[in-house]
């Protein structure tokens, strides 16, 4: 099966969770999660950031991934299978590399408090060849995009950047 990029356009879901749940997830990302060093965006590049796998039974998984599965996956035109869920963590001024996630749908949740400032950066940059698009990491929002689009995280200037990612392969 071949799919056109426009079959799965970029979507943003603002205020994805109740504020109390969003606040708890941000707290868990900052204070309750053990991370391991480095995610490799490409085999020939050094690892960047930190990562923590999330699984069923963990609060973050059961709040975000279960909601995606229950409310959003059923709306897709093609069947998918969830393949991985994790938290990305970048320290201030820690830069990532451009990469693709493969032939999949990627859902990315931005935890945080309402104090986000555009001057902090922290964008996700999407590369469409001659044009790049910067997506703001608006707290308590979820974005969905085709994983074959080249993209990368940019760091915040003065605080840690977290994103919760779940990937679904097309069947």
């Amino acid at each position: 099966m071949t799919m056109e990029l426009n079959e799965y356009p970029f979507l943003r879901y603002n205020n994805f969770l109740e504020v109390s749940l969003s606040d708890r997830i941000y707290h868990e990302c900052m204070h309750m999660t053990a991370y391991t060093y480095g995610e490799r965006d490409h085999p020939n590049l050094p690892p960047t950031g930190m990562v923590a796998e999330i699984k069923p039974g963990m609060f973050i998984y059961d709040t975000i991934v279960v909601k995606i599965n229950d409310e959003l996956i059923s709306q897709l035109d093609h069947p998918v299978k969830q393949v991985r869920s994790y938290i990305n963590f970048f320290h201030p001024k820690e830069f990532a590399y451009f990469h693709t996630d493969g032939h999949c749908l990627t859902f990315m949740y931005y935890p945080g408090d309402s104090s986000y400032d555009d001057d902090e950066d922290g964008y996700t940059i999407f590369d469409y060849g001659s044009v790049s698009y910067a997506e703001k990491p608006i707290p308590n929002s979820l974005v969905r995009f085709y994983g074959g689009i080249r993209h990368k995280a940019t760091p915040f200037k003065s605080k840690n950047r977290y994103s919760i990612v779940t990937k679904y392969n097309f069947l």
Side-chain angles (χ1 to χ4, degrees):
M1 156 185 2
T2 61
M3 275 175 251
E4 298 296 322
L5 179 61
N6 61 2
E7 288 186 68
Y8 288 99
F10 183 93
L11 289 176
R12 175 182 283 281
Y13 304 88
N14 288 319
N15 302 308
F16 185 65
L17 300 172
E18 296 173 23
V19 172
S20 62
L21 294 174
S22 177
D23 290 346
R24 180 169 172 196
I25 285 170
Y26 188 48
H27 176 80
E28 291 220 2
C29 287
M30 289 190 309
H31 303 293
M32 308 296 289
T33 303
Y35 295 91
T36 57
Y37 172 67
E39 184 80 0
R40 284 192 187 275
D41 292 330
H42 187 277
N44 298 329
L45 297 174
T48 60
M50 299 182 80
V51 66
E53 301 294 324
I54 56 174
K55 305 284 183 199
M58 298 172 72
F59 176 76
I60 292 174
Y61 183 100
D62 292 346
T63 304
I64 295 173
V65 180
V66 168
K67 183 175 172 101
I68 292 169
N69 289 339
D70 289 350
E71 297 178 15
L72 303 178
I73 296 303
S74 64
Q75 299 175 15
L76 299 177
D77 294 334
H78 296 91
V80 294
K81 178 183 179 189
Q82 182 184 339
V83 291
R84 186 174 179 215
S85 298
Y86 57 97
I87 305 169
N88 275 328
F89 166 23
F90 290 95
H91 288 98
K93 301 177 186 173
E94 181 177 17
F95 293 91
Y97 297 98
F98 275 109
H99 66 280
T100 64
D101 296 339
H103 185 58
C104 68
L105 277 182
T106 299
F107 288 81
M108 186 177 339
Y109 177 80
Y110 297 108
D113 59 31
S114 60
S115 66
Y116 174 72
D117 176 357
D118 280 343
D119 288 329
E120 269 293 319
D121 291 335
Y123 296 95
T124 302
I125 307 293
F126 294 92
D127 178 18
Y128 292 95
S130 62
V131 175
S132 291
Y133 171 74
E135 185 62 34
K136 291 181 182 183
I138 297 171
N140 194 23
S141 67
L142 177 81
V143 296
R144 183 194 84 184
F145 59 92
Y146 176 61
I149 300 170
R150 212 169 147 237
H151 61 281
K152 73 174 180 176
T154 65
F156 286 132
K157 290 180 181 174
S158 64
K159 62 183 184 176
N160 294 331
R161 181 191 190 274
Y162 303 95
S163 59
I164 298 154
V165 178
T166 299
K167 296 177 184 176
Y168 297 82
N169 282 348
F170 293 103
L171 299 178

